[in-house]
């Protein structure tokens, strides 16, 4: 019973009162809100939203897969421009590779446009440090971020040709061994290599990133990461954090 009779001296009226009280639904006890722990929030969920793997799917399967996500559209269009250029370099479209970059290249002087036109196909057909550097040397006002985005986009063409490893190696050749130069954007780019080459699904990459975010925040282990490349990056001493902005 929720209520008990006091010891001794309870008369009929008191007993009746007790009975009446027991016939009513018990009142909920007062709740001390301060005593309730805050709901546990997984800090990794917000980080997962920044992966935007749908951009890789949209680059390959159609921009409609981005929905209204402007960030996704921007990334997917960048990849598709280089796909367009690679196809043009093979002579399969009847247009010049520079047409794939018209809005970007048209702002430069005619001489620069001609120089870039002569360098686009070599950087795609013979990807390596030499052709890459020759291309970047002739692009005016290129920031380091712009250069990094372009490296990734050229690498993605290698993935779309069917080689995730060539894509990964192209990026690693530019960034260097896993170390302080590595960050979220580069790790995400390696995931893009594997997704575009159909080696792994976005879901598989997301699951491994989720594990790695946990390791970076003090839970779990690098050994729990399935993909060997990501696991190596996680284990590398002195490698940059996978967390965006760090």
């Amino acid at each position: 019973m929720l209520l008990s009779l006091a010891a001794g001296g309870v008369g009929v009226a008191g007993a009746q009162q007790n009975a009446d009280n027991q016939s009513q639904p018990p009142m909920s006890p007062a709740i001390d809100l301060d005593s309730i722990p805050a709901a546990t929030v997984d800090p990794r969920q917000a980080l997962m939203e920044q992966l935007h793997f749908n951009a890789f799917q949209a680059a390959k399967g159609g921009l409609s897969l981005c929905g209204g996500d402007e960030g996704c559209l921007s990334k997917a269009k960048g990849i598709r421009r280089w796909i367009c250029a690679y196809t043009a370099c093979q002579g399969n479209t009847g247009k010049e590779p520079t047409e794939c970059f018209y809005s970007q290249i048209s702002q430069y002087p005619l001489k620069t446009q001609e120089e870039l036109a002569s360098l686009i196909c070599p950087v795609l057909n013979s990807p390596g440090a030499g052709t890459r550097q020759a291309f970047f040397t002739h692009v005016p006002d290129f920031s380091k971020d712009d250069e990094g985005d372009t490296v990734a986009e050229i690498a993605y063409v290698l993935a779309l040709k069917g080689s995730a490893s060539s894509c990964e190696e192209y990026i690693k050749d530019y960034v260097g061994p896993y170390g302080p130069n590595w960050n979220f954007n580069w790790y995400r780019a390696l995931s893009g290599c594997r997704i575009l080459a159909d080696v792994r699904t976005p879901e598989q990459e997301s699951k491994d990133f989720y594990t790695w975010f946990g390791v970076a925040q003090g839970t779990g282990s690098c050994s729990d990461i399935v993909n060997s490349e990501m696991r190596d990056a996680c284990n590398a001493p002195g490698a940059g954090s996978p967390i965006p902005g760090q």
Side-chain angles (χ1 to χ4, degrees):
M1 294 175 64
L2 294 176
L3 300 174
S4 60
L5 298 177
V10 178
V12 174
Q16 182 62 49
Q17 182 66 46
N18 286 334
D20 291 341
N21 288 342
Q22 292 178 42
S23 68
Q24 301 299 318
M27 295 180 62
S28 300
I31 300 175
D32 181 3
L33 296 177
D34 292 335
S35 68
I36 300 177
T40 301
V41 177
D42 189 339
R44 288 179 284 185
Q45 288 301 331
L47 298 175
M48 296 295 291
E49 293 173 4
Q50 298 187 53
L51 290 172
H52 293 298
F53 285 154
N54 55 339
F56 301 122
Q57 296 170 298
K60 192 171 184 177
L63 296 179
S64 62
L65 294 175
C66 281
D69 185 342
E70 290 299 323
C72 172
L73 282 170
S74 177
K75 292 179 184 299
K77 286 178 179 179
I79 300 170
R80 287 168 74 92
R81 280 193 289 268
W82 282 98
I83 297 170
C84 167
Y86 175 75
T87 304
C89 287
Q90 311 317 304
N92 297 332
T93 61
K95 67 178 181 180
E96 295 299 319
T98 49
E99 295 179 51
C100 303
F101 304 96
Y102 179 76
S103 62
Q104 289 77 29
I105 291 180
S106 60
Q107 61 183 304
Y108 299 135
L110 182 59
K111 183 175 184 300
T112 302
Q113 293 184 42
E114 291 173 347
E115 290 172 339
L116 290 173
S118 69
L119 294 167
I120 290 174
C121 290
V123 84
L124 288 167
N125 291 333
S126 302
T131 54
R132 181 175 65 232
Q133 188 55 47
F135 178 80
F136 289 146
T137 298
H138 289 83
V139 182
D141 305 320
F142 228 36
S143 71
K144 201 65 177 175
D145 286 342
D146 290 336
E147 185 171 308
D149 288 342
T150 301
V151 167
E153 289 161 0
I154 294 171
Y156 296 149
V157 174
L158 299 175
L160 287 164
K161 289 168 66 176
S163 178
S165 60
S166 294
C167 176
E168 291 169 333
E169 289 305 316
Y170 189 81
I171 291 172
K172 290 163 70 177
D173 179 66
Y174 175 78
V175 185
Y178 292 128
N181 289 335
W182 284 82
N183 57 33
F184 168 78
N185 289 328
W186 287 122
Y187 298 132
R188 178 185 177 277
L190 294 183
S191 288
C193 291
R194 296 184 286 267
I195 292 170
L196 289 169
D198 291 326
V199 171
R200 302 192 86 210
T201 66
E203 292 74 24
Q204 288 172 318
E205 289 294 318
S206 295
K207 186 174 181 180
D208 273 351
F209 254 107
Y210 185 82
T211 300
W212 196 4
F213 288 150
V215 174
Q217 294 171 333
T219 62
S221 169
C222 294
S223 61
D224 296 327
I225 295 174
V226 175
N227 178 259
S228 60
E229 192 69 49
M230 195 183 296
R231 190 167 61 246
D232 287 346
C234 180
N235 279 314
S241 170
I243 295 177
Q246 292 188 5

